[in-house]
């Protein structure tokens, strides 16, 4: 009952021969060695396994890998491929939006996907999105602040770019 | 050889100190990049995966365990029962007489009897976790069901079945303490006596990373190597060595990155022992990762307690006495090393809280039931008794016609050190100041006027409390534990280029010790904090250490680290003074080197001599640069304190509770890293709110757990947890090296009381008082409906 | 929490999916977004021997307006509906805020939710409220099942094992309709959910029975000024409820009253 499949993760194509019952999160972690994505509940509530599927945040524990053949999957490893933290990761650090770091990759991918779709969210909207995932350490406030700050910085950078292009 | 010091790091505080600066966390880059290493991230060649056949019965004789079909399941490599592995039991004891304490042995795998749903019966080892679960399903277990004991009151009933034959009335701990002379007369003659009866729900500490282990036998080191997410690696080593019959040196326990613990991981679990025993037997690496269903039903739980507390007050509002009965439902077994005494002994010893209580009597009991066993959980009993005591002040204020905050003011300890009726000496704190500031803050923000708004059901609640942190050996010895935690050891070493490595017996799993411990060392040695490497969580590299729990790490571990740093500094000064022909007494550590008069020598240069040109060292000074130190708290420990203020709005249409505002005024002495302290407070408050309003592990009458998933076990999200305003007060501790007190648990301790008081304040016009948690929304709905 | 083994089949067309379902019979289960099914499989509460993946079928997702009718493809995600500008069908978009959380809404599908038939699920309530027709394709071709006849019990529907939901048809706009819920935590399955359509004099409740329950509304007619409170009381009073562990009939009835009232308020202001 082994199935051949091809997955595209962080822009890289992988050939796999696996049981179809393997969930995407297990395949990412244990077949592809991308252990940045974590497993927290395996029933879609905690969000530790959140990755982007074609740009949208999704629970990797509720998807069989076979289902997302042909999709573009992005994991936390894609945020800082060269080791330099991106602006979102930097904001999490500055606001102390992580303690043990276990929920963090899921929170980052949730925020990354959300901000790409909605670059101008209100703080309340961010809070509602953060409520998608569980964190047991922070009390959430600093996670919301980090994402809010990142959104502001991205907007400011965009404005600056616009102003620059007008000159 | 003299040179000029490098430019100063921009993060350094203006006065030149690292302690007190919220520097970037050393832990962050790897955790943010997905490059942390948690237990489940570890893969070893040939690694197998374990899962457990678990009891489906709450209470039964175990007649037969047939694993033939398990072993025949594709992918399964081995399966073992208790008889197959023949491991010694895990037993934790108190030095107390039999009428006060009954020890219970916890077998690694159930033998003869099962005592809760989820109890491990057999371990199945397979090529992957999927096959392991297939194997588990194939097990055939034959039970002869016994009547289960499911509630604390049921356990204490005269005709109750016995969970352990050796424990009559299912009572594992029964202590009566203090009993101030004349206390009955105090109550008989007191103008006002109030009573609180409170039952608190069973909770799961719920680290987001579940428990787990990777174990393998290393033939070269002749060692069983165990990588596990434990708060107490040395204790895992001790118990594991005992269970499998190895010497301590034949077991090495290391702790990788760890996704939270909150107490659930500060006891020794059965599954990691069984998985390690399987690895030893098979001579192959075995990994066990607890899944969430098991984590919610079969992991260590906490907090299910029943309080009956009376308090006597004088007519002008002076508290005259406390008379308390505490029953803690500890589930099926005593945990190692704390025993089932952990909750009742904490509650009994510390209940007088921040108040000048002249007379006190308490009976504390631990009962055993057919439910998953318990472990310490952040705050240990203090969230409960603080809630009860703070309810008492609200009730007494009503009875006396006084303001509850004012009533607290009259009774709070203000002169330190204060030795209480419970024989505990409290070091200086800011009890009254925190209360005043918390109330003033909410008043300034306008919440008291909003409370009077007739259209809304708004209430304000307070909790004023202290928290003993830094339990030294002496404080734990008072509990009469056979295993007495307390001290910490640290070893520091400077390497060739002047970088520093320091060991600590504590270990961080979210608390940021890689950063904060480094700050402590950096100040002692005058080096940037990122030049200091913290070595933690490795039993081979660290002398016996007690791990991280009970807010002990910075107070005790941080003090040991500081003391070791000072010793190393003395060595550096001596060598530098010799090399610069100056007086060691006049030598000063600064900017990554030693200044003697007008000359300055970098640590790299000194290390160069210490390691590579030892012939240049002063007479009597050996080669190398290292030092060790230990620290223990001699007295009763140091007390952090705080006042929490909470504003809630109730929804009469649904009974729903919304927290509108939360203010925390906290004092943990010197804050090593204020941002981290605030993070601990906020996270702690979230867990306290969780207990007050959301989370409960419930069981049905047959002892079946009713919360096997996150659908039923309602961990609050960002929509339920409010932003928290934090104000700091600082009363430095006089006897820890840094003036710091513990900061890990206070948030959790104060929140249930503040929330419950706020809800009751909002219900003030209804005549209804709610004293149980989690607060049932239906009870709020009914209270508001009838008013 | 690893699923039992199954064989995976990827359908490329509706006919292909129906063919697979016909061939595989009761041992097969359709997976779309998988947001309920995969969780149940991880708990091994569901253990199909064959899984027919329909997510690669083209043309099953999308929202189309045809006159007064709105057609929503079965594979349309909750998130797509939430983000769509639906005008006088706006109740559908607004109701999506109650469906789990963002990452559930990006994967979970309209058809999957209807087929799963949780009695508190938003789509089940909305379908019954707005008298939607569920379009199913089987070996004998397509048929339309009125939502009122579709839900037979908890997680039980009128769908045959060899049928696939392809589309939901909402026959009339509902400019003054709303759905609201109560749960202790935002994003949870509702303790009670209420959906109202003021123009059709309809109230549908979740959490009060094994399927969405249409409650009797007093007067009908053209008057839109009737106070919603009377509806709320009447609806709450008409229900037969029983005490259950952790929630009494009295409390549930109170929640119904509150939620119907609030849904009516929301529906009348169209926000």
């Amino acid at each position: 009952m082994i199935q051949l499949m091809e997955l595209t993760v962080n822009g890289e194509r992988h050939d796999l021969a696996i049981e179809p019952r393997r969930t995407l999160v297990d395949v990412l972690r244990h077949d592809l060695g991308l252990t940045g994505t974590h497993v927290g509940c395996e029933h879609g509530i905690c969000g530790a396994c959140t990755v982007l599927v074609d740009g949208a945040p999704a629970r990797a524990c509720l998807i069989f890998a076979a289902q997302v053949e042909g999709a573009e999957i992005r994991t936390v490893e894609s945020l800082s491929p060269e080791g330099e933290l991106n602006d979102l990761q930097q904001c999490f650090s500055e606001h102390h939006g992580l303690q043990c770091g276990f929920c963090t990759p899921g929170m980052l991918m949730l925020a990354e996907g959300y901000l790409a779709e909605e670059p101008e969210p209100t703080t309340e909207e961010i809070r509602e999105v953060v409520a998608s995932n569980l964190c047991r350490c922070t009390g959430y406030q600093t996670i919301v602040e980090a994402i809010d700050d990142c959104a502001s910085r991205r907007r400011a950078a965009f404005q600056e770019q616009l102003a620059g292009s007008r000159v | 050889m003299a040179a000029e010091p490098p430019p100063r790091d921009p993060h350094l505080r203006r006065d030149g100190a690292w302690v007190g600066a919220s520097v970037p966390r050393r832990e962050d880059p790897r955790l943010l990049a997905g490059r942390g290493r948690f237990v489940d991230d570890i893969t070893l060649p040939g690694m197998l995966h374990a899962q457990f056949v678990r009891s489906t019965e709450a209470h039964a004789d175990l007649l037969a365990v047939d694993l033939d079909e398990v072993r025949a399941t594709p992918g399964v490599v081995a399966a073992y029962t208790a008889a197959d592995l023949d491991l010694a039991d895990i037993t934790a004891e108190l030095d107390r007489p039999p009428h006060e304490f009954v020890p219970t042995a916890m077998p690694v795998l159930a033998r003869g009897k099962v005592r809760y749903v989820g109890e491990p019966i057999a371990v199945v080892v397979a090529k992957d976790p999927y096959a392991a679960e297939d194997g588990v399903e194939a097990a055939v277990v034959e039970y002869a069901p016994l009547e289960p004991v499911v509630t604390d009151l049921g356990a204490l009933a005269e005709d109750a079945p016995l969970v352990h034959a050796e424990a009559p009335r299912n009572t594992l701990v029964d202590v009566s303490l203090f009993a101030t002379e004349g206390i009955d007369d105090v109550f008989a003659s007191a103008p006002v006596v109030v009573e609180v009866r409170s039952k608190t729900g069973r909770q799961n500490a719920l680290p987001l990373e579940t428990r787990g282990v990777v174990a393998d036998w290393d033939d070269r080191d002749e060692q069983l190597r165990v990588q596990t997410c434990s708060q107490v690696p040395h204790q895992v080593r001790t118990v594991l060595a005992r269970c499998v019959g190895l010497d301590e040196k034949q077991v090495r326990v290391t702790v990788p990155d760890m996704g939270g613990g909150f107490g659930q991981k500060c006891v020794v679990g059965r599954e990691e022992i069984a998985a390690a025993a399987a690895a030893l037997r098979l001579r192959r690496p075995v990994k066990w990762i607890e899944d969430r269903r098991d984590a919610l039903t079969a992991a260590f739980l906490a907090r299910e307690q029943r309080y009956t507390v009376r308090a006597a007050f004088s007519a002008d509002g002076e508290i005259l006495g406390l008379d308390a009965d505490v029953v803690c439902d500890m589930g099926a077994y005593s945990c190692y090393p704390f025993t089932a005494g952990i909750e009742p002994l904490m509650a009994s010893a510390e209940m007088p809280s921040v108040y000048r209580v002249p007379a006190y009597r308490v009976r504390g009991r631990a009962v055993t039931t057919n439910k998953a066993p318990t472990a310490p959980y952040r705050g240990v009993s203090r969230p409960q008794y603080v809630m009860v005591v703070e309810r008492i002040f609200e009730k007494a204020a009503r009875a006396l016609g006084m303001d509850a905050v004012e009533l607290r003011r009259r009774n709070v300890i203000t002169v330190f050190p204060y030795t209480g009726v419970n024989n505990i000496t409290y070091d200086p704190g800011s009890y009254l100041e925190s209360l005043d500031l918390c109330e003033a803050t909410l008043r300034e923000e306008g919440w008291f006027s909003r409370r009077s708004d007739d259209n809304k059901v708004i209430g304000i609640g307070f909790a004023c409390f202290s928290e003993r942190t830094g339990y030294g050996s002496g404080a734990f010895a008072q509990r009469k534990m056979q295993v007495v935690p307390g001290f910490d050891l640290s070893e520091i070493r400077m390497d060739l280029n002047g970088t520093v490595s320091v060991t600590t017996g504590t270990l961080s799993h979210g608390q940021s010790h890689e950063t904060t411990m480094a700050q402590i060392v950096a100040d002692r040695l005058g080096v940037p904090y990122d030049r200091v490497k913290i070595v933690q969580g490795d039993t081979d590299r660290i002398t016996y250490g007690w791990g991280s729990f009970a807010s002990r790490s910075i107070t005790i571990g941080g003090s040991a680290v500081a003391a070791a740093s000072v010793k190393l500094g003395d060595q550096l000064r001596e060598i530098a003074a010799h090399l610069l022909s100056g007086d060691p007494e006049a030598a000063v550590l600064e900017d990554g080197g030693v200044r003697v008069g007008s000359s300055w020598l970098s640590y790299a240069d000194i290390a160069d001599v210490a390691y590579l040109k030892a012939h240049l060292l002063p007479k009597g000074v050996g080669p190398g640069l290292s030092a060790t130190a230990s620290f223990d708290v001699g007295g009763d420990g140091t007390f952090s304190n705080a006042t929490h203020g909470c504003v809630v709005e109730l929804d009469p249409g649904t009974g729903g509770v919304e927290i509108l505002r939360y203010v925390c005024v906290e004092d943990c002495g010197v804050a090593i890293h204020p941002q981290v302290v605030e993070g601990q407070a906020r996270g702690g408050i979230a867990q306290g709110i969780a207990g007050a309003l959301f989370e409960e592990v419930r069981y049905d009458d047959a002892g079946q757990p009713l919360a096997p998933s996150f659908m039923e076990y309602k961990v609050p999200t960002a929509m339920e947890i409010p932003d928290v305003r934090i104000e700091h007060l600082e009363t430095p501790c006089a006897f820890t090296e840094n003036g710091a007190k513990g900061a890990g648990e206070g948030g959790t301790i104060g929140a249930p009381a503040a929330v419950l008081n706020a809800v009751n304040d909002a219900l003030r016009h209804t005549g209804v008082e709610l004293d149980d948690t989690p607060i049932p929304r239906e009870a709020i709905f009914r209270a508001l409906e009838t008013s | 929490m690893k699923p039992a083994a199954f064989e995976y089949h990827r359908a490329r067309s509706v006919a292909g999916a129906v063919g697979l379902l016909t061939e595989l019979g009761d041992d097969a289960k359709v997976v779309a977004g998988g947001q309920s099914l995969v969780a149940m499989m991880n708990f091994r509460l569901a253990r199909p021997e064959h899984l027919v993946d329909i997510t690669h079928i083209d043309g099953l997702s999308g929202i189309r307006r045809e006159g007064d009718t709105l057609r929503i493809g079965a594979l349309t995600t909750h998130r797509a509906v939430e983000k769509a500008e639906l005008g006088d069908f706006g109740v559908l978009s607004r109701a999506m805020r109650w469906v789990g959380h963002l990452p559930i809404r990006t994967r979970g599908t309209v058809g999957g939710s209807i087929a799963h038939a949780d009695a508190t699920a938003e789509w089940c309530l909305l379908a019954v409220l707005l008298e939607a027709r569920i379009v199913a394709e089987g070996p004998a071709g397509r048929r339309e099942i009125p939502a009122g006849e579709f839900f037979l019990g908890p997680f039980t529907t009128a769908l045959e094992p060899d049928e696939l939901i392809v589309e939901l048809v909402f026959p009339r706009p509902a400019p003054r309709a709303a759905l609201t819920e109560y749960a202790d935590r935002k994003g949870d399955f509702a303790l009670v959910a209420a959906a109202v359509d003021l123009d059709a004099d309809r109230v549908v409740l979740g959490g009060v029975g094994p399927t969405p329950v249409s409650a009797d509304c007093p007067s009908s007619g053209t008057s839109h000024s009737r106070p919603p409170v009377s509806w709320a009381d009447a609806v709450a009073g008409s229900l037969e409820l029983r005490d259950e562990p952790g929630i009494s009939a009295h409390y549930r009835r109170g929640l119904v009253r509150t939620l119907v009232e609030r849904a009516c308020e929301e529906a009348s202001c169209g926000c």
Side-chain angles (χ1 to χ4, degrees), chain A residues 1 3 19-21 23 26 39 41-45 50 53 56-59 61-64 66-69 110 114 117-118 128-129 131-134, chain C residues 1-8 10 31-36 38-39 41-44 51 53 55-56 79 83 97 101-107 185-186:
Chain A
M1 284 209 300
Q3 186 161 340
E19 277 191 285
R21 63 169 159 170
T23 55
D26 279 347
V39 177
C41 75
E42 294 179 295
H43 55 287
I45 295 186
T50 305
V53 176
R59 308 289 204 222
C61 72
L62 294 187
I63 300 172
F64 294 114
Q67 290 185 276
V68 286
E69 244 188 319
L110 176 70
Y114 177 64
E117 184 193 276
E118 180 55 76
E128 196 161 342
V129 168
S132 305
N133 289 9
L134 298 180
Chain C
M1 290 184 63
K2 306 295 181 190
F6 58 82
E7 214 170 300
Y8 174 82
R10 183 177 298 158
V31 66
Q35 300 301 285
S36 301
V38 180
M41 289 175 70
N42 287 350
F43 276 107
R44 298 200 177 195
L51 206 58
D53 182 0
T55 56
H56 294 254
R79 184 64 172 165
K83 300 287 277 185
R97 289 183 304 213
H101 292 284
L102 173 67
I104 300 294
R105 304 203 281 264
T106 62
R107 297 289 301 172
R185 274 185 316 187
K186 177 86 178 60

Side-chain angles (χ1 to χ4, degrees), chain C residues 236-254:
Chain C
S238 71
L239 295 168
E240 280 191 30
L241 298 169
R242 247 182 272 161
D243 289 344
E244 284 165 39
I247 175 166
S248 71
H250 178 79
Y251 179 42
R252 205 183 287 272
R253 198 180 307 283

Side-chain angles (χ1 to χ4, degrees), chain A residues 52-129:
Chain A
L52 301 185
V53 176
D54 290 329
R59 308 289 204 222
C61 72
L62 294 187
I63 300 172
F64 294 114
Q67 290 185 276
V68 286
E69 244 188 319
E72 291 283 340
I73 316 261
R74 272 186 68 196
T75 68
V76 67
E77 284 89 351
S78 72
L79 296 182
S80 47
E82 309 284 317
E84 189 82 5
L85 299 184
N86 81 359
D87 54 351
L88 179 66
Q89 292 166 312
Q90 200 65 48
C91 285
F92 265 68
S93 182
E94 285 171 26
H95 289 271
H96 195 26
L98 68 157
Q99 290 180 23
C100 79
F102 197 79
C103 76
T104 310
M107 287 287 185
L108 288 169
M109 298 318 284
L110 176 70
E112 193 70 31
Y114 177 64
L115 291 183
E117 184 193 276
E118 180 55 76
E120 295 186 28
T122 63
T123 307
E124 265 322 289
E125 286 167 342
I126 292 171
R127 178 173 289 281
E128 196 161 342
V129 168

